[in-house]
Amino acid sequence: MFNIARRINTSIRKSAIVSEGLNFWLADGEAASQDVFHTYLHCFPRYKIDGFGLKLPDNYRNLPTREELDHTAKLITDLL
C-alpha cells in the first residue's frame, strides 16, 4: 500500500495539482476513527496555511519517556 502511496505522491507532485506537501492518513480500528471497515489510505494535498492538521487535546501532556518509547519499539520489532 505504501509503495503505491509513494507513486501517488510522485505523480501528484509532477502533475498540475498545486500543493506544497502531502499527508497520508491510515485508520485501523474504531478508536483510530476508522469508519469503513476495510484498509484504505487517504492522500491529502496540503498547503502551509490550509488549517488542516492533527490537533491533540489540551490535556495531552503525559508524553512517554525515552525508556517507555524504547520498550514499546522493542515489543514491536521483536515480532517482525
Side-chain angles (χ1 to χ4, degrees), residues 4-21:
I4 293 170
R6 181 182 46 79
R7 290 174 53 201
I8 291 169
N9 185 1
T10 300
S11 295
I12 288 174
R13 290 182 174 274
K14 288 180 178 179
S15 77
I17 298 170
V18 179
S19 71
E20 297 171 326

Side-chain angles (χ1 to χ4, degrees), residues 48-79:
K48 287 181 185 175
I49 58 170
D50 61 15
F52 183 84
L54 180 64
K55 177 158 175 30
L56 299 173
D58 291 337
N59 65 349
Y60 192 82
R61 300 284 183 253
N62 297 328
L63 300 176
T65 65
R66 170 63 5 198
E67 263 184 11
E68 291 169 315
L69 291 171
D70 290 343
H71 175 72
T72 300
K74 185 168 177 11
L75 291 173
I76 296 166
T77 57
D78 283 353
L79 295 174

Side-chain angles (χ1 to χ4, degrees), residues 24-38 40-42 44 54:
F24 291 96
W25 175 272
L26 180 103
D28 182 22
E30 188 175 352
S33 300
Q34 181 183 16
D35 55 0
V36 178
F37 293 95
H38 61 268
Y40 60 96
L41 184 68
H42 290 281
F44 297 98
L54 180 64

